[in-house]
Amino acid sequence: MNMKVDSMIFLPECLENIFKFLQDDEEALFSSILVNRFWCRTLVPILWRNPFRLVKEANTDKLINIYVRCLSNDNEPDYLSDLVILKDGQNVLQKLLKNSSRLTFDYPYFLRELKCSKINDLVKRWLSSVIDDSNWNKPDQKEFCVKWFSNNLIRLFMNKSPNVESLVIQSDDYHHNADFSFNSCTDKGYSALRILHLDYCCDGHTLQSISFNCHSIEELWISLTENSRETQSLNELVKSQKGIKDFRIRSIYYNEKVFEVTPQLLEALSIQKRTLHTVQFFCCKFHQCPTLQPLAECTKLERLGFFNCDGLTEEVIKPLANGSLRNLNVLAMAVYDGFTEKVIIDIIESSHQNLKRISLPMATKTNNIRNVFTSMIPFVNNLTGITVCFSSGDNKSFESFLLLLDSCSNLESLCIEGGDTAGNPLDFDDKEMSIYFEQLAIKMPLSINRLVFYNVSVSSQLFQTFLEKLDSPIRFLGLYGCFMIRDDHINEIVKYAERTGHLKNLTVNWCFSNTGKAVDEALKVIDEVHFSDVEPYDMEFTAWLA
């Protein structure tokens, strides 16, 4: 039977259901487009829902080129003239926008997932392919053009992609003068939005616009500063949603102020208690909140995190320890001021051994975290991940932690952080602590395969001894903010990888003393090696609610 006639017996809805099974098979989908126009019209919207994930890396330049053709080729403002002229005298914008023309499909309309940082990365790669690096006329000219194109592409998507389901905007890292409007689409614009990450300092007007247009947000991650308008707008945004599942708020320092959580925000979250399973507060103040009782009413909570928050005294946190959070399997309490061990112990005991991962606050001589370690021992059978933070010199707390490890037979991930309130690292080279560090290698459960150190100091000789005594099959090793890490340390890691064959991923972030030679040597024996001298966007302990 003729393929054209055969294919017409399928309704578009039937074809869509069939093609869903092939949504990750790029070759099959692109081949199907060529069957006939009917199949093509059905497949193009599916292919262009999230082309950034589907298209192979070698074809991403073509993808960006198609989207750039959707941009307007109007003359750029006069103030851009000096910024966009290449050495050969050509205008970058006129050169790259001259092919703007009517396309067969309105491709931005089909987009369902948008992540700003991804656009920025692809535009940077695309510009490198169309303009020779030697042709840039001024320092930072290329970076300016990357921001110009990515910024305008995102505005294009915000205006012409009303059916976006997942939106991640990171404007202060990747864009300039970014004002992405949520009220520029039709009345139904963004009605399908389920995931919204606003990782920039958005204002109350933006939040208000989202409240009017979006009512189906399930995952809301947002960054704010201290501002009363934003507080009220955020409350209304939370209350306007049909069923938030994952809520995370991060405070951005602004004029030495951080976001102040209000009782009204906690009440708004309690309205979502039927669906809410994850709540995280990062660098927030709770001085206005006499109690966290509204959160205790969210009995379906599975993941709860407080990171570097002020005002969480024992009386404020106490309602969370009343036994209502029986579904909790991830608890992160990286709270320094006002920490009370009794509340943590009560939460752990009332979790009925459902806890899988726990992140504990900085160990100091005043917060009695040793009592937490001791009290945890009967409740760690199902624990798979622990993050602990110690201040330098608090050796007794570390000794108590080693006793806890003896009971953690199913532990898979361990992150050890250092640092007091002044940020001083945990010094493992201290005479007494060096003994405990060697004991850590011996006592570490054989089930552990992921090990991370953050803000610690250790000599290459002691690190060598640690790795030689380590029996746990570490597949992922992370070193974050360990400023004393040098090539000698990397060489010892390479020897460990060669000797055991276990290590598959090495990540070294925010360390400044490693050379390219050490990286090359590591790549010879380790599958994935990541080195960066930039502070990681998401520190290890903040990722525990992922």
Side-chain angles (χ1 to χ4, degrees):
M1 185 178 292
N2 182 277
M3 175 63 78
K4 182 176 181 179
V5 176
D6 221 8
S7 65
M8 290 301 291
I9 66 174
F10 292 107
L11 295 173
E13 293 82 0
C14 296
L15 278 178
E16 286 185 15
N17 288 329
I18 293 172
F19 290 141
K20 283 181 181 178
F21 291 100
L22 301 173
Q23 59 183 348
D24 294 322
D25 191 335
E26 177 190 11
E27 185 176 348
L29 290 175
F30 278 103
S31 297
S32 300
I33 281 182
L34 303 177
V35 172
N36 58 34
R37 291 182 180 180
F38 178 69
W39 279 41
C40 181
R41 287 196 301 269
T42 305
L43 262 173
V44 164
I46 296 175
L47 280 168
W48 288 81
R49 286 176 181 174
N50 188 6
F52 306 108
R53 175 173 57 85
L54 185 61
V55 172
K56 293 180 179 178
E57 184 173 328
N59 294 323
T60 53
D61 291 346
K62 297 178 182 177
L63 174 64
I64 292 298
N65 196 53
I66 289 176
Y67 278 134
V68 167
R69 290 178 62 187
C70 299
L71 294 176
S72 170
N73 59 356
D74 297 337
N75 292 331
E76 77 280 356
D78 292 338
Y79 73 87
L80 291 180
S81 298
D82 292 339
L83 297 172
V84 295
I85 302 299
L86 298 171
K87 285 184 178 179
D88 61 10
Q90 292 191 80
N91 181 305
V92 177
L93 302 187
Q94 293 178 0
K95 172 184 175 67
L96 298 178
L97 293 176
K98 66 181 181 180
N99 292 323
S100 296
S101 61
R102 184 176 180 82
L103 298 167
T104 306
F105 294 95
D106 188 8
Y107 295 106
Y109 180 83
F110 304 128
L111 197 65
R112 294 293 185 274
E113 296 183 28
L114 175 58
K115 187 174 183 180
C116 290
S117 60
K118 183 70 172 179
I119 304 297
N120 186 82
D121 292 341
L122 295 180
V123 167
K124 183 180 296 185
R125 185 183 306 163
W126 167 73
L127 269 180
S128 296
S129 70
V130 295
I131 296 180
D132 191 274
D133 284 342
S134 63
N135 200 14
W136 294 107
N137 195 31
K138 297 180 179 180
D140 300 327
Q141 185 182 32
K142 179 180 179 180
E143 185 62 27
F144 173 84
C145 290
V146 169
K147 290 182 177 180
W148 190 94
F149 277 101
S150 59
N151 212 38
N152 280 275
L153 282 175
I154 291 171
R155 285 200 176 96
L156 171 74
F157 296 138
M158 292 292 287
N159 290 329
K160 301 192 69 176
S161 310
N163 298 311
V164 166
E165 298 173 358
S166 176
L167 178 61
V168 179
I169 298 181
Q170 297 159 300
S171 61
D172 54 353
D173 280 339
Y174 299 99
H175 305 96
H176 55 95
N177 300 324
D179 181 19
F180 306 127
S181 175
F182 281 82
N183 54 10
S184 58
C185 293
T186 63
D187 292 338
K188 295 183 178 180
Y190 296 98
S191 61
L193 197 63
R194 294 185 301 104
I195 298 174
L196 178 61
H197 296 185
L198 296 178
D199 188 38
Y200 71 103
C201 190
C202 52
D203 57 21
H205 177 71
T206 299
L207 298 180
Q208 197 172 48
S209 297
I210 300 171
S211 300
F212 291 149
N213 292 326
C214 316
H215 303 289
S216 300
I217 299 175
E218 298 176 359
E219 184 175 298
L220 178 61
W221 300 9
I222 193 166
S223 297
L224 291 172
T225 59
E226 185 179 57
N227 184 295
S228 58
R229 282 185 59 203
E230 291 168 354
T231 300
Q232 181 59 33
S233 299
L234 178 59
N235 299 343
E236 295 302 319
L237 173 59
V238 172
K239 289 192 291 187
S240 68
Q241 303 310 307
K242 296 176 182 178
I244 295 179
K245 297 179 180 179
D246 187 335
F247 175 83
R248 310 187 193 193
I249 184 167
R250 170 176 173 257
S251 180
I252 297 178
Y253 287 99
Y254 181 72
N255 290 337
E256 298 183 350
K257 295 181 179 181
V258 295
F259 182 76
E260 184 80 53
V261 178
T262 63
Q264 290 76 21
L265 175 57
L266 298 182
E267 291 292 340
L269 288 172
S270 69
I271 294 175
Q272 304 291 337
K273 61 185 177 183
R274 183 179 58 85
T275 55
L276 196 63
H277 62 59
T278 298
V279 174
Q280 172 180 304
F281 295 93
F282 184 80
C283 288
C284 296
K285 292 181 179 179
F286 284 83
H287 297 295
Q288 294 185 23
C289 300
T291 177
L292 297 185
Q293 179 59 39
L295 286 183
E297 295 172 7
C298 301
T299 56
K300 292 187 177 181
L301 279 182
E302 299 175 3
R303 299 179 289 187
L304 178 63
F306 298 91
F307 301 100
N308 298 2
C309 295
D310 290 332
L312 288 175
T313 62
E314 179 175 355
E315 198 61 33
V316 173
I317 308 177
K318 190 175 181 180
L320 297 180
N322 64 4
S324 61
L325 302 183
R326 295 189 176 188
N327 294 310
L328 204 64
N329 57 59
V330 179
L331 174 65
M333 294 291 289
V335 180
Y336 301 165
D337 295 334
F339 164 68
T340 167
E341 79 280 3
K342 184 179 185 304
V343 172
I344 303 296
I345 294 171
D346 288 345
I347 294 177
I348 293 171
E349 291 180 350
S350 64
S351 67
H352 295 270
Q353 298 201 25
N354 287 322
L355 277 180
K356 299 292 191 301
R357 301 198 307 274
I358 187 167
S359 177
L360 293 172
M362 178 173 61
T364 67
K365 297 177 180 179
T366 59
N367 65 17
N368 295 321
I369 199 170
R370 282 177 286 171
N371 294 343
V372 177
F373 294 146
T374 303
S375 301
M376 282 178 60
I377 291 176
F379 304 96
V380 296
N381 290 342
N382 297 316
L383 208 62
T384 60
I386 295 180
T387 294
V388 284
C389 184
F390 300 95
S391 59
S392 192
D394 191 12
N395 302 339
K396 294 301 180 183
S397 290
F398 200 89
E399 181 182 22
S400 180
F401 172 68
L402 292 178
L403 294 176
L404 173 65
L405 282 183
D406 288 334
S407 301
C408 298
S409 57
N410 294 310
L411 203 63
E412 298 174 2
S413 301
L414 174 61
C415 176
I416 294 182
E417 299 179 19
D420 50 24
T421 53
N424 297 314
L426 174 61
D427 184 11
F428 281 125
D429 291 316
D430 172 80
K431 184 176 181 181
E432 186 175 357
M433 187 61 82
S434 65
I435 298 174
Y436 292 141
F437 188 59
E438 292 183 29
Q439 290 181 6
L440 174 65
I442 299 171
K443 286 180 170 288
M444 199 176 299
L446 294 177
S447 54
I448 289 183
N449 59 70
R450 181 182 178 90
L451 177 62
V452 173
F453 292 105
Y454 170 61
N455 195 25
V456 304
S457 175
V458 56
S459 66
S460 59
Q461 293 84 357
L462 182 57
F463 199 55
Q464 174 188 0
T465 302
F466 174 85
L467 292 175
E468 288 175 348
K469 294 185 176 183
L470 182 63
D471 289 328
S472 302
I474 304 301
R475 296 178 60 84
F476 177 98
L477 178 60
L479 301 170
Y480 297 86
C482 302
F483 303 126
M484 298 302 293
I485 297 298
R486 292 179 169 79
D487 286 1
D488 289 345
H489 295 79
I490 305 305
N491 293 336
E492 296 303 329
I493 295 173
V494 170
K495 292 177 184 177
Y496 168 80
E498 290 176 329
R499 183 174 69 253
T500 66
H502 299 314
L503 193 62
K504 302 300 179 184
N505 187 305
L506 172 63
T507 299
V508 181
N509 274 104
W510 213 21
C511 303
F512 311 104
S513 301
N514 302 116
T515 66
K517 182 180 179 180
V519 177
D520 293 338
E521 291 300 315
L523 282 168
K524 292 178 181 179
V525 295
I526 304 173
D527 292 347
E528 295 184 47
V529 179
H530 306 280
F531 277 73
S532 173
D533 59 2
V534 179
E535 181 178 5
Y537 167 71
D538 204 8
M539 293 299 187
E540 184 69 18
F541 69 84
T542 70
W544 279 101
L545 298 191

